[in-house]
Amino acid sequence: MTDQEADVMIGLETHVQLDTNTKLFCGCPNEEAKKPNENVCPVCLGHPGSKPRFNENVLKLATKTVLALQCDINNDVFFSRKTYFYPDMSKNYQITQYEIPVGEKGELKIEVEDKEREIGIKRLHVEEDPAKMKHVGGSISDSNYTKVDYNRAGTPLLEIVTEPDFRSPQEAREYLQQLAKILQYLEIYYPESNFAIKTDANISIEGGEKVEVKNITGTSEVEKALSYEISRQKQMERRGREISQHTRNYNADISATEKMREKETEEDYGYIFDPDLTRQELDERFQQEIRSSIPELPHEKYERFQKQYGISDKMIESLIAEQQMADDFEQITEDYDPELVGSWMTGKLRKTLNYNELTYKEAEVELDWIEYIIELLEEDRISDRNAEKVIRKIIENPQDPKEIVENQDLLKAEEDEVDQLVAQIVGDNQEAVEDYRSGDEEAVNFLVGQVMQESEGKADPKTAREKIIQKIK
């Protein structure tokens, strides 16, 4: 840890929107609506006399996450009212958990620049999302006026609060990436959905007051927001100016934080027990049921892949980044070489997915399509270049690769066909041939390139090179 990192303390509060059928305390659809304020009811809007009823599926998802983050589970939890006056909460309080959350005292290991660190999970609780505010004509600080859409009000949230264990923005980013991966494996979060992960960060330097930066979306944005805020606080310190406890907003357009308001304290919120909601008991039977539904988690899969397949750590990281890709890799390696399958899936396939800004799941690539290409590669019947051409076609327009290979004649050329091409290229490029004979070894590369171009990638470059040298010596 550097001296610069030692005086920085960062804690994160991460809000995960849950993709449930209905909202947390009513039967309204938990989905985007075509019009503002369409999916709302008296409970969402906090009308007098309305009574919330708890969506028990949320408790299962929360408990699943608690177990995955190695937290202690509380057997008996209840909800409280967090009082605050703000346009995004029409009943003037938010239903959340305060005294006893679903889980607490967990941990998540991260690794940054070959240094492993344990990040403490202070608590994980359930709460409702407030409404969505739209600042018209500018940002939160300079808009002309603000609209409020209550469609989002009541969306179930998991709030995961860490100890102030981060010492750099890079560690915070790595933690959020690891957390998102775990949530994907638990089938709680899907990057391709409209449900988001947002983070509030508390930052202090040299043991001073902490400043909260709210509602940062995206791991790279968190890193940028923290870097800016740390730099800002250090500049304040150098100029002898006091850093007060307050809340700031991150303006991604200018990559800077802006003051929103003075920070409230826990006493300001005036938490009280919510009398409309019953206690929730998480008995041993319930916990065991949830425990048995947890799949092999990313870090467990990583360690097993290291022992089982003997492929590189970098390759494993790329494979387990998506559970479906990791699962398909395992199925294909039942019949084919793990090194070949891994290098191709994390190389040509991943490169093509990244170019098209797609995840493996979004690309809708079928397992037997990948197996067919791997089979051709293992049998040396298709060149790397043409295999990549096939996967590009599949990603652009999902279709059976056999049809692409047959229609475009992409299998490797037969030996007599390569012989004919070599003879033709050597005959047409005597100047390059003489250069090679005069000692210019690079000239043969030009001739190989001509054979590859003429064969449209069907010739094997190694074979073509051997045949060219044999012919012109």
Side-chain angles (χ1 to χ4, degrees):
M1 188 183 299
T2 66
D3 290 341
Q4 188 178 19
E5 291 171 340
D7 62 8
V8 173
M9 293 180 72
I10 302 168
L12 300 182
E13 298 173 6
T14 302
H15 297 88
V16 183
Q17 288 182 324
L18 298 180
D19 184 7
T20 51
N21 292 329
T22 57
K23 293 184 180 180
L24 183 55
F25 295 120
C26 67
C28 286
N30 183 28
E31 61 187 26
E32 283 203 356
K34 293 179 181 175
K35 299 176 184 175
N37 301 314
E38 189 174 20
N39 291 340
V40 295
C41 70
V43 174
C44 301
L45 298 173
H47 286 182
S50 61
K51 298 283 188 184
R53 65 177 186 278
F54 182 51
N55 183 342
E56 292 186 359
N57 187 39
V58 174
L59 197 58
K60 292 179 180 176
L61 298 177
T63 306
K64 213 174 181 182
T65 311
V66 160
L67 289 168
L69 296 176
Q70 302 176 61
C71 295
D72 295 338
I73 299 178
N74 288 312
N75 297 329
D76 193 16
V77 299
F78 60 91
F79 288 91
S80 295
R81 295 178 175 182
K82 177 182 178 181
T83 304
Y84 70 89
F85 300 94
Y86 207 61
D88 63 2
M89 189 61 71
S90 57
K91 57 181 178 280
N92 288 334
Y93 64 83
Q94 180 186 29
I95 301 177
T96 182
Q97 292 177 322
Y98 179 59
E99 292 86 350
I100 303 178
V102 179
E104 50 194 334
K105 299 176 185 174
E107 66 174 34
L108 180 63
K109 288 181 181 175
I110 60 168
E111 186 174 317
V112 176
E113 295 178 349
D114 296 328
K115 294 178 185 172
E116 191 175 89
R117 285 178 39 72
E118 288 183 2
I119 303 300
I121 306 295
K122 187 176 181 181
R123 57 184 284 133
L124 186 152
H125 64 259
V126 174
E127 65 183 26
E128 60 180 337
D129 213 352
K132 186 175 183 179
M133 297 173 67
K134 184 176 181 182
H135 306 289
V136 180
S139 66
I140 190 172
S141 57
D142 59 6
S143 61
N144 297 324
Y145 59 96
T146 299
K147 294 180 177 178
V148 185
D149 179 2
Y150 282 91
N151 280 329
R152 196 181 70 182
T155 295
L157 293 178
L158 296 185
E159 181 171 345
I160 304 165
V161 183
T162 75
E163 299 289 352
D165 288 342
F166 302 99
R167 296 293 175 266
S168 71
Q170 293 79 15
E171 288 183 0
R173 178 175 183 168
E174 176 64 21
Y175 161 82
L176 289 171
Q177 288 175 339
Q178 291 293 334
L179 179 62
K181 201 186 297 178
I182 289 172
L183 294 171
Q184 287 176 58
Y185 271 62
L186 296 175
E187 298 183 335
I188 285 175
Y189 167 68
Y190 308 93
E192 59 274 15
S193 77
N194 295 319
F195 293 88
I197 293 180
K198 293 183 181 178
T199 299
D200 301 341
N202 287 290
I203 309 112
S204 64
I205 60 170
E206 299 177 357
E209 294 285 354
K210 63 182 180 184
V211 173
E212 183 183 43
V213 181
K214 289 192 76 67
N215 292 330
I216 318 168
T217 304
T219 55
S220 63
E221 292 299 289
V222 166
E223 188 174 2
K224 289 177 190 173
L226 289 172
S227 297
Y228 174 86
E229 182 55 26
I230 291 168
S231 174
R232 187 191 71 81
Q233 291 189 28
K234 290 193 170 181
Q235 291 290 333
M236 295 270 288
E237 287 260 315
R238 288 192 192 99
R239 288 163 174 73
R241 296 174 65 181
E242 184 181 353
I243 299 171
S244 64
Q245 181 173 325
H246 67 280
T247 299
R248 301 179 73 83
N249 168 60
Y250 178 63
N251 187 336
D253 293 336
I254 59 173
S255 297
T257 63
E258 301 166 332
K259 186 171 182 179
M260 290 173 66
R261 58 178 183 267
E262 295 302 316
K263 171 70 177 170
E264 296 89 346
T265 64
E266 294 299 323
E267 290 75 20
D268 293 330
Y269 290 128
Y271 287 96
I272 59 170
F273 171 69
D274 193 313
D276 290 333
L277 289 161
T278 57
R279 287 174 175 267
Q280 302 296 318
E281 187 179 351
L282 286 66
D283 58 26
E284 186 53 39
R285 185 177 176 182
F286 173 82
Q287 292 182 29
Q288 188 53 39
E289 179 191 335
I290 300 299
R291 193 173 280 112
S292 65
S293 71
I294 294 179
E296 183 182 44
L297 294 173
H299 66 279
E300 296 166 334
K301 197 178 286 290
Y302 182 93
E303 290 174 5
R304 183 170 62 80
F305 275 26
Q306 279 183 316
K307 294 174 186 171
Q308 188 170 341
Y309 296 110
I311 56 179
S312 72
D313 292 350
K314 191 174 179 182
M315 209 181 281
I316 296 172
E317 284 176 9
S318 180
L319 287 167
I320 67 169
E322 292 188 67
Q323 188 175 20
Q324 190 176 334
M325 180 181 267
D327 290 346
D328 284 359
F329 164 80
E330 292 211 84
Q331 284 204 46
I332 297 171
T333 52
E334 289 178 4
D335 298 312
Y336 300 98
D337 175 36
E339 180 69 31
L340 170 65
V341 180
S343 64
W344 194 81
M345 291 183 82
T346 61
K348 304 294 186 190
L349 176 56
R350 178 67 78 189
K351 174 185 159 189
T352 309
L353 292 170
N354 290 343
Y355 178 81
N356 289 278
E357 297 182 343
L358 290 171
T359 64
Y360 184 72
K361 187 176 180 182
E362 286 175 320
E364 299 179 351
V365 179
E366 294 186 15
L367 178 64
D368 60 345
W369 295 354
I370 304 293
E371 282 183 320
Y372 171 71
I373 298 171
I374 294 294
E375 182 180 0
L376 293 180
L377 285 166
E378 189 162 271
E379 293 175 353
D380 200 23
R381 293 169 59 203
I382 193 169
S383 65
D384 286 340
R385 177 179 161 177
N386 279 357
E388 186 174 358
K389 189 184 286 186
V390 174
I391 197 63
R392 282 183 187 168
K393 293 281 183 189
I394 292 174
I395 299 296
E396 289 169 5
N397 179 24
Q399 57 190 300
D400 191 335
K402 288 181 184 175
E403 293 177 9
I404 300 171
V405 170
E406 288 172 8
N407 293 340
Q408 299 192 22
D409 191 21
L410 295 177
L411 293 180
K412 278 188 176 179
E414 299 291 337
E415 188 161 346
D416 58 346
E417 190 178 348
V418 177
D419 287 339
Q420 289 177 18
L421 283 168
V422 167
Q424 176 191 329
I425 295 302
V426 167
D428 292 346
N429 295 276
Q430 283 301 302
E431 191 175 339
V433 172
E434 291 306 319
D435 287 345
Y436 176 76
R437 287 172 175 160
S438 301
D440 182 2
E441 297 280 338
E442 294 293 322
V444 79
N445 293 337
F446 168 77
L447 295 169
V448 172
Q450 293 298 301
V451 171
M452 296 303 296
Q453 186 174 336
E454 192 66 27
S455 70
E456 297 182 336
K458 291 168 58 184
D460 176 61
K462 184 181 175 188
T463 304
R465 185 183 186 85
E466 289 171 353
K467 287 181 177 294
I468 289 169
I469 292 174
Q470 188 178 14
K471 192 169 185 64
I472 65 180
K473 263 188 173 177

